[in-house]
Structures are given as C-alpha cells and as structure tokens.
Amino acid sequence: MNKEQLGQLIIASEDTLYHVAKTLLSDDADCADAIQETIVKAFTKLHTLRQDSYAKTWLVKILINECYSLMRGKKRIVSLEEYQYPETAGEEADYSDLYEAIRQLPTEIRICIILYYLEGYSVKETAKILDITESAVKNRLARARSRMRSELQQAAT
C-alpha cells in the first residue's frame, strides 16, 4: 500500500475512526487529537503494514492505542474547570438512548460492541484488533447484551 492509497482509506474510514474514538473518549477535541495522531502514525509506520487487506483493521488498532494513551495522560491531569464545575446531566443529552446505554458499559465491553455491531467487524477481526481471543469477544458481547437488556427492563418498570 502506498501513501496515496492510505490517504484514500483514511478518508473512507472517517466515520469508523470517529465512532471508535468517541466510544473511548467523551470529548470531541480528544477524539480529534487521537484521530490526528493516528493518521500521523499510520503514515510514518506504513512500512509495518504486512497485508493491504488488513489496512483498516491496522488503522483502527492504532487509533485504539492512541485513545488509551490519551486516557492515561488525562488520568493525571484534572483541569480547573472540571474541578470547580462538574459535568451536568444535560451535556450528554445530544446522544441517543442507545448510545448512552452503550456509554454506560465498561470500556472493554463497549469497544467490542462498537467494533462488532456499529462498525461491522466480525468476531475474528474484533479479536485481532483488541488482541484477545474470539471467545473473549463473544463473552463480552453476550455480557453487554445481557446488561443492556436488564437495564431496559428496569427502565420500563
């Protein structure tokens, strides 16, 4: 794969990259930073891509690592605004109920849901992206469905 093809892949994968970043990071500015760093790393590490057919998977994996890197950095820093003004419930009202339900899931389960259901990756591809076994992906998906089902039933009563 050459740099021009990588650029076309990145443009074609904009929505996927945003969805994955938004799953892990709540702030749009952080999502943009993670995606930007992903693009830079993808171009500089293009020689490490072994098969062109896995380019999108490779790109998503770089993004996930960038998001985790940002999250580690954010744990150490608390801005003055966050300290003085905690988040209000109305700030997250822009998202659908389903997206909010997904956001309530633990990170490891949430990323499996996004990759499998929203981005259309297979169990095998999701396992490869996350460096876990296929059975772990299936278990996380089952746990997520179970949790969301029980939350929906509780909300209905």
Side-chain angles (χ1 to χ4, degrees):
M1 175 173 277
N2 62 33
K3 290 186 178 189
E4 185 177 317
Q5 290 171 323
L6 178 60
Q8 290 172 353
L9 174 67
I10 290 169
I11 290 169
S13 303
E14 282 180 18
D15 289 340
T16 300
L17 295 174
Y18 177 76
H19 288 288
V20 171
K22 190 67 176 173
T23 299
L24 295 170
L25 306 168
S26 58
D27 186 29
D28 282 335
D30 289 341
C31 291
D33 289 344
I35 292 169
Q36 189 173 22
E37 284 299 314
T38 298
I39 292 168
V40 170
K41 283 193 178 179
F43 277 107
T44 58
K45 302 285 185 179
L46 184 58
H47 64 280
T48 64
L49 179 61
R50 294 184 186 152
Q51 289 182 327
D52 289 355
S53 60
Y54 290 112
K56 189 172 180 183
T57 303
W58 174 76
L59 194 61
V60 170
K61 190 168 188 165
I62 293 171
L63 176 63
I64 290 170
N65 289 334
E66 282 302 315
C67 289
Y68 284 140
S69 177
L70 267 172
M71 288 166 56
R72 280 190 300 273
K74 288 274 186 188
K75 281 185 183 178
R76 295 181 214 121
I77 301 170
V78 177
S79 71
L80 184 60
E81 291 84 21
E82 288 177 18
Y83 180 73
Q84 291 178 339
Y85 305 106
E87 265 187 45
T88 60
E91 290 180 19
E92 295 293 322
D94 295 340
Y95 303 107
S96 69
D97 293 337
L98 176 62
Y99 195 73
E100 280 301 314
I102 291 171
R103 287 195 51 81
Q104 298 301 319
L105 295 171
T107 303
E108 73 229 5
I109 295 174
R110 187 180 341 138
I111 194 70
C112 281
I113 288 287
I114 294 297
L115 291 174
Y116 184 75
Y117 287 110
L118 298 180
E119 298 305 325
Y121 285 102
S122 68
V123 170
K124 186 176 184 175
E125 291 169 327
T126 302
K128 186 172 181 164
I129 290 171
L130 299 175
D131 284 330
I132 57 176
T133 64
E134 290 179 36
S135 61
V137 171
K138 290 177 185 177
N139 287 335
R140 289 178 185 182
L141 292 172
R143 275 186 291 186
R145 287 189 299 264
S146 175
R147 281 186 184 196
M148 292 177 71
R149 190 177 302 120
S150 66
E151 287 177 18
L152 182 63
Q153 289 172 348
Q154 288 176 356
T157 57

